[in-house]
Amino acid sequence: MIVAIDGPAGSGKTTIAKLLSKKLNISYLDTGATYRALTLKALEGGIDLKDASLLAQLAANLNLKLDGQKTYLDGKDVSEEIRTPLIDKNISIIVAHPKVRSVMVSLQRAVAKGKDFVVEGRDITTVVFPNAEFKFYLDADSAIRAERRFRELEAKGMKIDFTETEKDLRKRDDADKKREVGALTLSSDATYIDTTKMSIEEVINTMVAYIENRKNNK
Ligand code: DC
């Protein structure tokens, strides 16, 4: 069973997907982490972020291990390092390359294929797992999403500016929607949930109720 979750930055996808996988007692795949790890590797190697062929090659040879909640690159735990504003700033260029996306989509499918997984990312319901048993699209007002992202970084002890966070989020939103391949789109068969005024628990309960209901009515 694949539970696929799409939605813009700050919609709560990562937090929700992690908790939902625990509740359903199945595995969890954060596809954003795969692109983040690739961005880190490219920055470390001083690679030109516009060089799609070189980046695709780097992606194909990526020594990446996704262990539930943690991300390991070349054997090192990079779970925190891939969630810094530096990665946020550079990732949009990398994820826009169709050649890179094609390698990463294969990698993501290979991880979850034939297993029970909650998978989240911008193109999961549309490109990676269009035939997923359950598809959700999480959304929230952009101001709330920026606030959530700001709080998340602040809680990690990072010194950041709210206006800067908001600007970055808007930029990523724009890039995610305008991309030629794998753009963020609301698939017609996905269940849309506006989380603006909902607590995390309410979102999880809504999703679990939906899944149980569909399973029972099969
Ligand atoms: O979900 P996130 O914030 O960790 O995603 C980081 C970036 O990667 C974001 O700009 C969108 C992009 N992304 C993507 O293009 N496709 C995915 N399946 C997951 C993330």
Side-chain angles (χ1 to χ4, degrees):
M1 169 178 88
I2 298 280
V3 179
I5 308 177
D6 271 0
S11 59
K13 281 192 317 291
T14 308
T15 309
I16 302 290
K18 273 184 193 166
L19 291 170
L20 184 67
S21 71
K22 270 197 192 148
K23 193 122 187 177
L24 298 173
N25 203 17
I26 63 177
S27 306
Y28 155 69
L29 173 63
D30 167 7
T31 60
T34 66
Y35 289 104
R36 286 177 179 277
L38 177 64
T39 307
L40 178 64
K41 182 85 185 167
L43 290 175
E44 278 176 355
I47 286 172
D48 176 5
L49 302 187
K50 292 197 191 89
D51 190 339
S53 298
L54 196 55
L55 286 165
Q57 220 177 326
L58 193 72
N61 293 300
L62 209 58
N63 178 6
L64 188 66
K65 202 174 135 232
L66 301 153
D67 178 12
Q69 323 269 328
K70 301 248 178 231
T71 306
Y72 297 88
L73 179 65
D74 298 324
K76 183 180 151 209
D77 181 357
V78 293
S79 317
E80 293 294 320
E81 219 176 327
I82 58 169
R83 303 207 163 270
T84 57
L86 176 72
I87 301 291
D88 284 353
K89 271 196 171 53
N90 288 286
I91 199 164
S92 293
I93 314 172
I94 291 193
V95 301
H97 299 307
K99 271 188 191 169
V100 172
R101 297 199 70 86
S102 151
V103 176
M104 297 307 269
V105 166
S106 301
L107 184 151
Q108 293 155 11
R109 283 188 185 139
V111 172
K113 206 178 168 195
K115 301 184 191 121
D116 290 336
F117 257 92
V118 173
V119 192
E120 59 107 338
R122 307 290 191 288
D123 57 348
I124 301 310
T125 66
T126 51
V127 178
V128 187
F129 290 108
N131 299 318
E133 284 84 344
F134 298 99
K135 295 182 177 189
F136 294 96
Y137 185 102
L138 300 185
D139 205 357
D141 287 350
S142 60
I144 291 286
R145 292 190 287 113
E147 200 182 308
R148 286 177 186 164
R149 181 78 186 127
F150 177 74
R151 288 226 188 100
E152 189 188 329
L153 294 172
E154 203 184 36
K156 284 182 185 163
M158 284 178 207
K159 278 213 159 116
I160 29 126
D161 177 60
F162 180 74
T163 322
E164 189 70 13
T165 312
E166 206 174 17
K167 216 171 85 194
D168 271 2
L169 192 110
R170 217 170 293 137
K171 245 170 130 182
R172 276 206 290 157
D173 271 2
D174 248 23
D176 282 348
K177 284 184 182 151
K178 284 187 195 140
R179 239 187 342 253
E180 253 174 69
V181 177
L184 173 67
T185 4
L186 173 58
S187 137
S188 59
D189 55 355
T191 304
Y192 180 88
I193 304 177
D194 182 350
T195 70
T196 307
K197 292 182 180 148
M198 290 170 90
S199 67
I200 292 169
E201 202 184 354
E202 282 171 331
V203 180
I204 301 279
N205 289 343
T206 305
M207 293 169 95
V208 171
Y210 181 85
I211 292 171
E212 301 283 311
N213 193 27
R214 273 264 309 275
K215 274 188 177 167
N216 293 336
N217 289 320
K218 256 195 179 167

